[in-house]
Amino acid sequence: MTLDTADDDTRERIKRAAIRLFARQGIDGVSVRAILTAADVKNSAGIHYYFRTKDVLIGELVSDALTRTRRARNAALDALEASGAPISVRDVVNLICKVETTETNDPEARADLPIGFGHMRFISVMQLNHRDKFTQAVEAEGDDSFERCIAHIAKALTEVPRAVLNQRIVFFYQFAQASLSAREAAFVQTKDGGKLWGDPNALENLIDSLTAGLICPGHLA
């Protein structure tokens, strides 16, 4: 189906409305009618016309989110590697967090997603309640940027057995995702981010905490 400019604008309005509603209310708690109302689309068959089904719309939103993050991570990794300086674990953790929390020059960054890319709550909802769909999307898309991040972390932590490190990386990712989702929600709720996330040191403290979880001596046997 070829879309004209007006159709393309309507399609984007539906996607923007959907990701905001999904992030706030979950996937199952949002009806097609609610999405169309939020997008100011009068045609009750709008989802079918532009996406065929709600599931197709969700899949496209996941793909968009993965693409934005992957592109921004790879650009940041390219810059780090080009510097020629040793890359620490904290450098990588900082990169992973900052991509999702600061404005970027990525062409897909949008004004309606003001907290970085602004999709962390949506991704969290997908992973918690629709993990199969999310996993399928990740496998279809691939994520060379996260693989590059893991490679740098492993290179910096050769003293940690790989099985132990792999488990720590899973915990790291879950902790980071939950924390960044909470941060995003806080800034959506109040412009200053509230008492915790409005503190100018909060993000750096989160990065330090995540880094410590990866590098701590702990139980290495």
Side-chain angles (χ1 to χ4, degrees), residues 9 57 197 220:
D9 177 69
L57 167 61
W197 293 109
L220 302 182

Side-chain angles (χ1 to χ4, degrees), residues 135-205:
T135 300
Q136 288 172 7
V138 171
E139 290 176 350
E141 294 280 327
D143 190 356
D144 58 324
S145 69
F146 196 62
E147 292 170 2
R148 289 174 69 187
C149 288
I150 292 173
H152 281 297
I153 290 171
K155 184 177 180 181
L157 295 175
T158 55
E159 73 281 5
V160 180
R162 191 54 191 258
V164 173
L165 182 58
N166 287 345
Q167 193 173 72
R168 288 184 183 182
I169 288 170
V170 172
F171 294 148
F172 155 76
Y173 184 75
Q174 292 177 344
F175 185 17
Q177 186 177 78
S179 299
L180 293 175
S181 295
R183 179 184 186 275
E184 182 181 303
F187 277 101
V188 169
Q189 185 174 7
T190 60
K191 189 174 182 180
D192 64 1
K195 185 175 180 180
L196 174 61
W197 293 109
D199 186 312
N201 297 314
L203 185 57
E204 294 302 319
N205 283 333

Side-chain angles (χ1 to χ4, degrees), residues 100-121:
E100 304 294 354
T101 57
T102 61
E103 295 298 330
T104 75
N105 293 321
D106 189 285
E108 294 190 45
R110 301 196 308 249
D112 63 315
L113 303 178
I115 312 303
F117 286 135
H119 57 228
M120 291 305 296
R121 288 172 298 157

